[in-house]
Amino acid sequence: MNYSWLLIGVGGGAGAIVRYLMQQYVQGRWALAWPVGTGAVNALGCLLAGLLLGVLERHHLGAGWRLLLITGFCGGFTTFSAVALENVALLREGQVGLAALYAGGSVVVGVLLAGAGYWLARG
């Protein structure tokens, strides 16, 4: 029997809980108009996803680990859907420049950190 869905569900649930706790902590600590909690989670999640991918490849770990840690945990932890909705909110408030900066910055920082994590893990 294939238990891929269970690995993804367990990892995703854990990632979602950690995301919520970190997002609340960061946003509460630095109460800014910018959704800094979600931004911090996305940046860390991208770095973590890159690191995990590099470690999994370097040590030739099986597909189950990838499902649990990357698809599950990182998928539950990173919040690009939240970024999209926050950008819609900024646009509805007329904050077009801030929305563009936030959307573009999220993608650029995410790609750079995912690449950095991957290359750090691969050695």
Side-chain angles (χ1 to χ4, degrees), residues 7 47-74 117-123:
L7 292 171
L47 177 63
L48 182 61
L51 283 168
L52 287 171
L53 180 61
V55 167
L56 293 175
E57 286 184 2
R58 184 178 193 176
H59 297 285
H60 307 287
L61 298 174
W65 286 105
R66 184 175 179 140
L67 290 174
L68 176 69
L69 297 173
I70 296 177
T71 305
F73 185 84
C74 289
Y118 178 79
W119 292 111
L120 283 170
R122 291 291 293 177

Side-chain angles (χ1 to χ4, degrees), residues 97-122:
L98 186 57
L101 180 64
Y102 184 48
S106 294
V107 172
V108 170
V109 169
V111 170
L112 290 174
L113 287 174
Y118 178 79
W119 292 111
L120 283 170
R122 291 291 293 177

Side-chain angles (χ1 to χ4, degrees), residues 3 5 9 11 14 16 18 37 40 48 54 62-63 69 72 80-81 96-97 100 105-106 120 123:
Y3 292 100
W5 59 270
V18 173
L48 182 61
L69 297 173
F80 272 93
S81 60
V96 175
S106 294
L120 283 170

